[in-house]
Amino acid sequence: MAAELIDVHAHFVTADYVEAASAGGHVTPDGMPRWPSWSPEEHLRLMDAHGIRTAMLSISSPGTHFGDDAAARKLSRQVNDHAADVVRRHPGRFGHFAALPLPDVAGSLAELAYALDDLGSDGVALMSNAHGRYLGDPAYEPLWAELDRRRAVVFVHPTSPVNHEQVAMGRPRPMLEFIFDTTRTVSDLVFTGVLTRHPGIRWVFTHGAGTLPLLADRMELFRTAFNGGSPDDPTVVEQVAKLWFDIAGTPFPRQVPALTRAFGADQVLYGSDYCFTPIPAVAGQVASIDAADQPGETTWRALTTANARRLLSP
């Protein structure tokens, strides 16, 4: 029997969330045609059809902050309470990465404590940038210190860059810009020293590490040859190899082999990207995983599930 999957990259929406995001200017989220629908019942049917035991729910791009701190705090609390209720009603089938209202650091610290201590969330979910402020921003340092102290899981979902009108050329930003924004925010964490200062944070990034397998060596060249970085410090490849990456999107035949050649397979995770990825596309993605050349004497299902259990252990 095929191993059951743990899906670390699964999303939910609520009517209140879609209304708030649309009022904030996100009527077509990140250039996609429309908002998806979601219900626990439909999600469970998908999971049962494809051997997914547990799905970790999170709010996707554009997150919960649309310009007003007070409104973002309220919306984050609403969606986190909703997800926690879904987890309680379906034990073992769902987990939850809590939304935080970045760039509001004080609000994020308060919501972090509520989510982890009161709701029992499994970690937190952030966007790759918050209104153009990437994750190496010095203002975020108190948040990283607290997450490091807790050894928390931080799921980072890509979002649109602030200049998407110029670079996306009218096409949906998840196609290319999400991939580049993951790489951009990881590079910011590397070059600002966040990853080495806060080794207790368990970072999860998406979509097979974006373009990092291709660019990590180039980043290392710039770190040492042009930025004055010491060759005795951890290399870019060494730092990035400590991160976790899900394989949502188009993992085979090219992306996962590039990822594992660059950074190994010990921190590779399964992700569906449902409900923003439609059910037929999820089915095709799972089929591609099962049909791919399997890793050694195990399978991608068994490997990613064992990795996810290590990640999510207290």
Side-chain angles (χ1 to χ4, degrees):
M1 178 181 294
E4 291 187 307
L5 290 163
I6 296 176
D7 182 358
V8 303
H9 185 163
H11 300 304
F12 72 103
V13 295
T14 68
D16 288 343
Y17 173 72
V18 172
E19 181 181 357
S22 298
H26 300 276
V27 177
T28 56
D30 297 294
M32 297 295 283
R34 65 191 64 84
W35 284 95
S37 62
W38 180 86
S39 72
E41 294 74 23
E42 185 174 47
H43 199 158
L44 286 166
R45 285 193 291 271
L46 171 74
M47 292 163 64
D48 290 342
H50 299 291
I52 301 171
R53 172 59 187 169
T54 304
M56 309 303 296
L57 299 174
S58 62
I59 289 292
S60 185
S61 176
T64 56
H65 197 295
F66 307 123
D68 179 82
D69 285 353
R73 294 182 186 192
K74 180 180 178 181
L75 183 60
S76 298
R77 180 63 54 92
Q78 287 175 340
V79 297
N80 290 339
D81 282 343
H82 183 92
D85 183 63
V86 171
V87 172
R88 284 192 295 268
R89 289 189 286 113
H90 301 281
R93 302 310 308 275
F94 293 110
H96 174 227
F97 296 143
L100 300 185
L102 276 186
D104 173 12
V105 174
S108 294
L109 285 166
E111 192 61 23
L112 160 65
Y114 173 74
L116 298 189
D117 297 337
D118 296 341
L119 296 182
S121 300
D122 299 280
V124 302
L126 305 175
M127 299 300 107
S128 53
N129 78 80
H131 304 298
R133 294 171 65 179
Y134 284 86
L135 298 185
D137 192 306
Y140 299 158
E141 190 66 18
L143 180 61
W144 306 147
E146 179 61 10
L147 290 163
D148 188 13
R149 184 185 72 80
R150 291 174 176 266
R151 297 189 59 81
V153 175
V154 179
F155 176 81
V156 181
H157 195 278
T159 190
S160 296
V162 292
N163 62 333
H164 62 80
E165 294 90 350
Q166 287 74 39
V167 297
M169 297 175 284
R171 301 182 180 100
R173 277 92 76 185
M175 182 175 68
L176 297 179
E177 303 317 315
F178 276 22
I179 305 305
F180 298 144
D181 220 59
T182 288
T183 302
R184 188 172 293 114
T185 209
V186 170
S187 72
D188 199 33
L189 291 169
V190 168
F191 286 106
T192 57
V194 172
L195 297 183
T196 54
R197 282 198 306 278
H198 300 292
I201 298 176
R202 290 174 281 171
W203 300 92
V204 181
F205 293 88
T206 64
H207 304 108
T211 60
L212 285 164
L214 299 179
L215 295 179
D217 290 327
R218 184 174 180 83
M219 289 162 59
E220 175 64 11
L221 171 65
F222 276 74
R223 186 188 74 84
T224 54
F226 301 106
N227 285 21
S230 170
D232 297 327
D233 291 339
T235 68
V236 172
V237 170
E238 289 169 341
Q239 293 183 55
V240 174
K242 293 180 180 180
L243 309 176
W244 302 74
F245 297 104
D246 74 48
I247 57 174
T250 52
F252 293 100
R254 283 169 281 275
Q255 195 167 18
V256 165
L259 167 64
T260 57
R261 280 197 302 270
F263 308 126
D266 290 344
Q267 304 200 159
V268 174
L269 307 161
Y270 172 69
S272 70
D273 212 350
Y274 181 77
C275 57
F276 283 81
T277 294
I279 288 174
V282 174
Q285 183 228 30
V286 173
S288 79
I289 292 169
D290 290 339
D293 290 339
Q294 300 299 304
E297 297 182 359
T298 186
T299 66
W300 289 112
R301 283 178 175 265
L303 175 68
T304 59
T305 297
N307 290 345
R309 287 183 174 137
R310 285 192 295 110
L311 169 72
L312 298 169
S313 63

